[in-house]
Amino acid sequence: MQLEITGLTKRFGSFTANDRIDLTIEPGEIHCLLGENGAGKSTLMNMLYGLLDPDEGEVLIDGKPTTFATPGDAIKAGIGMVHQHFMLVPVFTVAENVMLGREQTRGLGLLNRPAAAKLVRDLSDRYKLAVDPDALVQDLPVGVQQRVEILKALANNAEVLILDEPTAVLTPQEIDELMSIMDSLRESGTSIVFITHKLREVKEIGDRITVIRRGKVVGTTQPTASESQLAEMMVGRGVKLVVDKDPADAGDAVLEISHLTVIDGRGATVVKDVSLDVRAGEILVLAGVQGNGQTELIKAILGLMKPAAGQISLAGRNITKHGPRQRLDDGIGYI
Ligand SMILES: Nc1ncnc2c1ncn2[C@@H]1O[C@H](COP(=O)(O)OP(=O)(O)OP(=O)(O)O)[C@@H](O)[C@H]1O
Ligand SMILES: [Mg+2]
């Protein structure tokens, strides 16, 4: 199916989040939507999925004007969406989650477990999306949960699949797996709208790329465009992709974290025996995929979570027992 958007506009009060957007998704293409944070990508897709009402403009399916009052309408029309934050029920199995989406849209009533498991197996075979229909969603790694979301959309016969920043929560290996899933979906004729702000991914998998900046379409281009051309379209000026910098001239350790362990409210060990130093005059980067304990580590440094073990020292003083207010006075700032 061909999906065409013309002049789509969305305002929030006096702020125009989407300004007369034109975009065409051709059958079987991977169309990348590239834009900085806040450019208006999710707003546009939420209108396509019946979650937001456009103020102006039209959506056409195979040339026919269509309106979606609810996601149910969009699903019936063949549109599927995997949101930035997943919407699965953690205590349900994969098959139950997939059927739940169908029940909402088709009123199937009672869950037929063997049929659900078979549907999941058929779909996962057809699209090479390996998942166990009987696994509980809460036991699955994030990358597999994402596959369940994709399966849910495919179970509703999605012909256009919207993936809103699917790679933000994935490890590099999971990203490669998602790319090959996207590839086999394209081969089977499904169109994909792939939202991201990572240039490498767009160049690797995209057929066409539309760039959005401050709610407006800047242009549509090919994956052969260079990273610096794409970056310039995204931000509106030349961007240096490599930073020239002098080596840091770091002094003594100011913040010392040793053998820190943090256990969260559900009893999970979210920070496990972490030790690191931050020296005077240096920028230390914590790299990791969302959900791997960065937030909890920062909370422990701020005194918002109590560590189960380990020590935090600032300028040589043990501050492990200090509360958040006292830590600000100790000299820790947080933005
Ligand atoms: N419900 C809302 N009410 C008011 N403003 C909103 C609403 N939803 C989005 N916005 C604003 O519209 C702009 C576009 O937001 P949107 O979420 O579409 O951006 P995005 O391109 O998806 O960004 P990100 O990369 O952060 O996901 C932002 O400035 C945002 O603050
Ligand atoms: Mg978004």
Side-chain angles (χ1 to χ4, degrees):
M1 103 186 182
Q2 188 207 46
L3 186 67
E4 191 182 354
I5 293 168
T6 59
L8 219 57
T9 296
K10 182 69 196 175
R11 296 183 202 93
F12 295 113
S14 61
F15 176 74
T16 306
N18 277 180
D19 190 359
R20 287 162 294 165
I21 302 266
D22 295 334
L23 183 69
T24 305
I25 313 298
E26 299 293 348
E29 76 165 341
I30 297 183
H31 197 121
C32 300
L33 207 54
L34 186 63
E36 285 190 286
N37 286 119
K41 307 177 295 289
S42 294
T43 301
L44 180 62
M45 292 304 122
N46 287 338
M47 286 195 282
L48 259 187
Y49 196 58
L51 284 168
L52 284 174
D53 253 346
D55 292 312
E56 286 163 35
E58 263 189 337
V59 177
L60 299 105
I61 291 185
D62 294 328
K64 247 182 59 202
T66 314
T67 52
F68 307 129
T70 63
D73 290 347
I75 291 168
K76 271 186 214 132
I79 298 175
M81 181 159 176
V82 178
H83 296 271
Q84 262 174 301
H85 302 286
F86 301 158
M87 306 207 169
L88 300 171
V89 184
V91 295
F92 282 11
T93 65
V94 168
E96 285 166 345
N97 269 280
V98 170
M99 292 313 277
L100 203 62
R102 284 165 67 87
E103 282 184 306
Q104 278 166 0
T105 56
R106 309 236 168 115
L108 268 186
L110 278 174
L111 198 66
N112 178 341
R113 275 163 212 278
K118 181 172 184 313
L119 177 76
V120 170
R121 264 193 299 272
D122 288 350
L123 286 167
S124 47
D125 284 351
R126 183 163 2 133
Y127 298 103
K128 301 187 194 83
L129 278 148
V131 282
D132 170 7
D134 301 319
L136 288 182
V137 162
Q138 65 188 9
D139 297 334
L140 299 174
V142 174
V144 181
Q145 291 190 23
Q146 190 173 65
R147 281 185 218 164
V148 178
E149 287 274 18
I150 294 174
L151 277 175
K152 224 172 110 177
L154 295 172
N156 284 310
N157 306 313
E159 292 179 53
V160 174
L161 186 62
I162 300 165
L163 303 176
D164 195 352
E165 299 210 30
T167 60
V169 293
L170 301 182
T171 61
Q173 198 211 330
E174 287 172 328
I175 292 176
D176 289 343
E177 286 166 12
L178 177 67
M179 296 276 177
S180 71
I181 290 168
M182 287 168 69
D183 218 16
S184 62
L185 286 171
R186 168 170 53 193
E187 262 170 41
S188 72
T190 309
S191 313
I192 297 176
V193 183
F194 175 39
I195 301 180
T196 183
H197 41 236
K198 296 185 198 157
L199 304 175
R200 189 187 67 78
E201 295 172 0
V202 167
K203 285 177 61 62
E204 186 177 326
I205 193 86
D207 296 310
R208 288 194 300 153
I209 302 158
T210 294
V211 181
I212 296 188
R213 186 185 342 132
R214 294 201 198 129
K216 288 195 165 85
V217 170
V218 182
T220 296
T221 182
Q222 305 296 320
T224 46
S226 69
E227 290 202 6
S228 58
Q229 284 168 328
L230 292 172
E232 187 165 345
M233 286 174 84
M234 251 168 90
V235 300
R237 57 182 158 73
V239 184
K240 264 194 177 165
L241 295 173
V242 182
V243 181
D244 305 319
K245 62 180 170 65
D246 297 327
D249 180 20
D252 294 336
V254 181
L255 178 69
E256 291 166 90
I257 295 171
S258 58
H259 302 289
L260 197 73
T261 293
V262 181
I263 295 173
D264 73 6
R266 295 173 310 160
T269 305
V270 282
V271 176
K272 197 168 171 185
D273 196 27
V274 168
S275 299
L276 56 87
D277 286 346
V278 186
R279 296 176 298 168
E282 82 173 349
I283 297 172
L284 181 89
V285 178
L286 279 180
V289 177
Q290 265 176 47
N292 280 277
Q294 302 95 314
T295 309
E296 291 83 359
L297 174 60
I298 298 301
K299 281 189 173 167
I301 295 173
L302 292 170
L304 296 170
M305 280 181 98
K306 226 175 111 227
Q311 182 175 314
I312 302 170
S313 303
L314 189 71
R317 278 174 66 215
N318 181 353
I319 61 161
T320 319
K321 296 229 149 49
H322 293 185
R325 172 76 248 175
Q326 204 179 347
R327 294 202 197 190
L328 295 182
D329 295 339
D330 290 336
I332 294 179
Y334 177 64
I335 295 169

PDB file of all heavy atoms in Angstrom, residues 36-43 46 84 164-165 195 197, ligand 2:
ATOM      1  N   GLU A  36      16.468  15.910  14.732  1.00  0.00           N
ATOM      2  CA  GLU A  36      16.990  16.074  16.083  1.00  0.00           C
ATOM      3  C   GLU A  36      15.884  15.833  17.107  1.00  0.00           C
ATOM      4  O   GLU A  36      14.701  15.796  16.758  1.00  0.00           O
ATOM      5  CB  GLU A  36      17.489  17.509  16.263  1.00  0.00           C
ATOM      6  CG  GLU A  36      18.796  17.804  15.588  1.00  0.00           C
ATOM      7  CD  GLU A  36      19.311  19.161  16.047  1.00  0.00           C
ATOM      8  OE1 GLU A  36      18.763  20.187  15.626  1.00  0.00           O
ATOM      9  OE2 GLU A  36      20.264  19.171  16.827  1.00  0.00           O
ATOM     10  N   ASN A  37      16.255  15.790  18.378  1.00  0.00           N
ATOM     11  CA  ASN A  37      15.263  15.715  19.453  1.00  0.00           C
ATOM     12  C   ASN A  37      14.299  16.879  19.314  1.00  0.00           C
ATOM     13  O   ASN A  37      14.724  18.012  19.107  1.00  0.00           O
ATOM     14  CB  ASN A  37      15.940  15.851  20.827  1.00  0.00           C
ATOM     15  CG  ASN A  37      16.682  14.595  21.215  1.00  0.00           C
ATOM     16  OD1 ASN A  37      17.878  14.628  21.402  1.00  0.00           O
ATOM     17  ND2 ASN A  37      15.984  13.494  21.304  1.00  0.00           N
ATOM     18  N   GLY A  38      13.010  16.581  19.409  1.00  0.00           N
ATOM     19  CA  GLY A  38      12.008  17.648  19.368  1.00  0.00           C
ATOM     20  C   GLY A  38      11.683  18.161  17.978  1.00  0.00           C
ATOM     21  O   GLY A  38      10.950  19.133  17.827  1.00  0.00           O
ATOM     22  N   ALA A  39      12.209  17.507  16.931  1.00  0.00           N
ATOM     23  CA  ALA A  39      11.962  17.978  15.564  1.00  0.00           C
ATOM     24  C   ALA A  39      10.505  17.783  15.152  1.00  0.00           C
ATOM     25  O   ALA A  39      10.000  18.462  14.260  1.00  0.00           O
ATOM     26  CB  ALA A  39      12.885  17.241  14.587  1.00  0.00           C
ATOM     27  N   GLY A  40       9.826  16.828  15.782  1.00  0.00           N
ATOM     28  CA  GLY A  40       8.424  16.597  15.471  1.00  0.00           C
ATOM     29  C   GLY A  40       8.143  15.231  14.863  1.00  0.00           C
ATOM     30  O   GLY A  40       7.055  14.987  14.333  1.00  0.00           O
ATOM     31  N   LYS A  41       9.086  14.309  14.978  1.00  0.00           N
ATOM     32  CA  LYS A  41       8.946  12.992  14.362  1.00  0.00           C
ATOM     33  C   LYS A  41       7.814  12.179  15.002  1.00  0.00           C
ATOM     34  O   LYS A  41       6.949  11.651  14.310  1.00  0.00           O
ATOM     35  CB  LYS A  41      10.271  12.209  14.472  1.00  0.00           C
ATOM     36  CG  LYS A  41      11.475  12.959  13.955  1.00  0.00           C
ATOM     37  CD  LYS A  41      12.770  12.186  14.157  1.00  0.00           C
ATOM     38  CE  LYS A  41      13.198  11.946  15.592  1.00  0.00           C
ATOM     39  NZ  LYS A  41      13.666  13.108  16.343  1.00  0.00           N
ATOM     40  N   SER A  42       7.846  12.085  16.337  1.00  0.00           N
ATOM     41  CA  SER A  42       6.812  11.284  17.012  1.00  0.00           C
ATOM     42  C   SER A  42       5.430  11.904  16.826  1.00  0.00           C
ATOM     43  O   SER A  42       4.437  11.182  16.661  1.00  0.00           O
ATOM     44  CB  SER A  42       7.115  11.156  18.504  1.00  0.00           C
ATOM     45  OG  SER A  42       8.289  10.417  18.702  1.00  0.00           O
ATOM     46  N   THR A  43       5.359  13.220  16.846  1.00  0.00           N
ATOM     47  CA  THR A  43       4.069  13.898  16.641  1.00  0.00           C
ATOM     48  C   THR A  43       3.470  13.483  15.300  1.00  0.00           C
ATOM     49  O   THR A  43       2.289  13.135  15.210  1.00  0.00           O
ATOM     50  CB  THR A  43       4.272  15.430  16.682  1.00  0.00           C
ATOM     51  OG1 THR A  43       4.835  15.778  17.941  1.00  0.00           O
ATOM     52  CG2 THR A  43       2.970  16.175  16.471  1.00  0.00           C
ATOM     53  N   ASN A  46       2.335   9.887  15.490  1.00  0.00           N
ATOM     54  CA  ASN A  46       1.148   9.739  16.328  1.00  0.00           C
ATOM     55  C   ASN A  46      -0.113  10.173  15.583  1.00  0.00           C
ATOM     56  O   ASN A  46      -1.191   9.632  15.814  1.00  0.00           O
ATOM     57  CB  ASN A  46       1.317  10.524  17.629  1.00  0.00           C
ATOM     58  CG  ASN A  46       2.302   9.847  18.575  1.00  0.00           C
ATOM     59  OD1 ASN A  46       2.551   8.649  18.472  1.00  0.00           O
ATOM     60  ND2 ASN A  46       2.876  10.613  19.478  1.00  0.00           N
ATOM     61  N   GLN A  84       8.244   4.439  21.186  1.00  0.00           N
ATOM     62  CA  GLN A  84       9.535   4.654  21.842  1.00  0.00           C
ATOM     63  C   GLN A  84       9.570   3.888  23.161  1.00  0.00           C
ATOM     64  O   GLN A  84      10.573   3.343  23.545  1.00  0.00           O
ATOM     65  CB  GLN A  84       9.768   6.144  22.082  1.00  0.00           C
ATOM     66  CG  GLN A  84      10.641   6.786  21.006  1.00  0.00           C
ATOM     67  CD  GLN A  84      10.762   8.292  21.156  1.00  0.00           C
ATOM     68  OE1 GLN A  84       9.792   9.010  21.141  1.00  0.00           O
ATOM     69  NE2 GLN A  84      11.984   8.769  21.274  1.00  0.00           N
ATOM     70  N   ASP A 164       9.430   3.774  16.058  1.00  0.00           N
ATOM     71  CA  ASP A 164       9.845   5.068  16.613  1.00  0.00           C
ATOM     72  C   ASP A 164      11.097   4.887  17.467  1.00  0.00           C
ATOM     73  O   ASP A 164      11.026   4.389  18.584  1.00  0.00           O
ATOM     74  CB  ASP A 164       8.708   5.684  17.432  1.00  0.00           C
ATOM     75  CG  ASP A 164       8.937   7.165  17.720  1.00  0.00           C
ATOM     76  OD1 ASP A 164      10.041   7.667  17.411  1.00  0.00           O
ATOM     77  OD2 ASP A 164       8.021   7.817  18.250  1.00  0.00           O
ATOM     78  N   GLU A 165      12.223   5.279  16.924  1.00  0.00           N
ATOM     79  CA  GLU A 165      13.530   5.161  17.588  1.00  0.00           C
ATOM     80  C   GLU A 165      13.765   3.780  18.190  1.00  0.00           C
ATOM     81  O   GLU A 165      14.081   3.656  19.381  1.00  0.00           O
ATOM     82  CB  GLU A 165      13.696   6.246  18.651  1.00  0.00           C
ATOM     83  CG  GLU A 165      13.623   7.613  18.008  1.00  0.00           C
ATOM     84  CD  GLU A 165      14.440   8.664  18.718  1.00  0.00           C
ATOM     85  OE1 GLU A 165      15.466   8.315  19.324  1.00  0.00           O
ATOM     86  OE2 GLU A 165      14.055   9.827  18.628  1.00  0.00           O
ATOM     87  N   ILE A 195      12.315   5.669  12.396  1.00  0.00           N
ATOM     88  CA  ILE A 195      12.684   6.944  13.011  1.00  0.00           C
ATOM     89  C   ILE A 195      13.976   6.782  13.803  1.00  0.00           C
ATOM     90  O   ILE A 195      14.121   5.840  14.573  1.00  0.00           O
ATOM     91  CB  ILE A 195      11.572   7.437  13.953  1.00  0.00           C
ATOM     92  CG1 ILE A 195      10.281   7.591  13.160  1.00  0.00           C
ATOM     93  CG2 ILE A 195      11.967   8.738  14.631  1.00  0.00           C
ATOM     94  CD1 ILE A 195       9.115   8.061  13.986  1.00  0.00           C
ATOM     95  N   HIS A 197      17.886   9.172  15.033  1.00  0.00           N
ATOM     96  CA  HIS A 197      18.753  10.294  14.690  1.00  0.00           C
ATOM     97  C   HIS A 197      20.192   9.819  14.525  1.00  0.00           C
ATOM     98  O   HIS A 197      21.114  10.591  14.614  1.00  0.00           O
ATOM     99  CB  HIS A 197      18.622  11.484  15.652  1.00  0.00           C
ATOM    100  CG  HIS A 197      18.516  11.126  17.088  1.00  0.00           C
ATOM    101  ND1 HIS A 197      17.466  11.538  17.875  1.00  0.00           N
ATOM    102  CD2 HIS A 197      19.298  10.383  17.863  1.00  0.00           C
ATOM    103  CE1 HIS A 197      17.622  11.060  19.077  1.00  0.00           C
ATOM    104  NE2 HIS A 197      18.726  10.361  19.108  1.00  0.00           N
TER     105      HIS A 197
HETATM  106 MG    MG B   2      10.101  11.070  19.373  1.00  0.00          MG
END
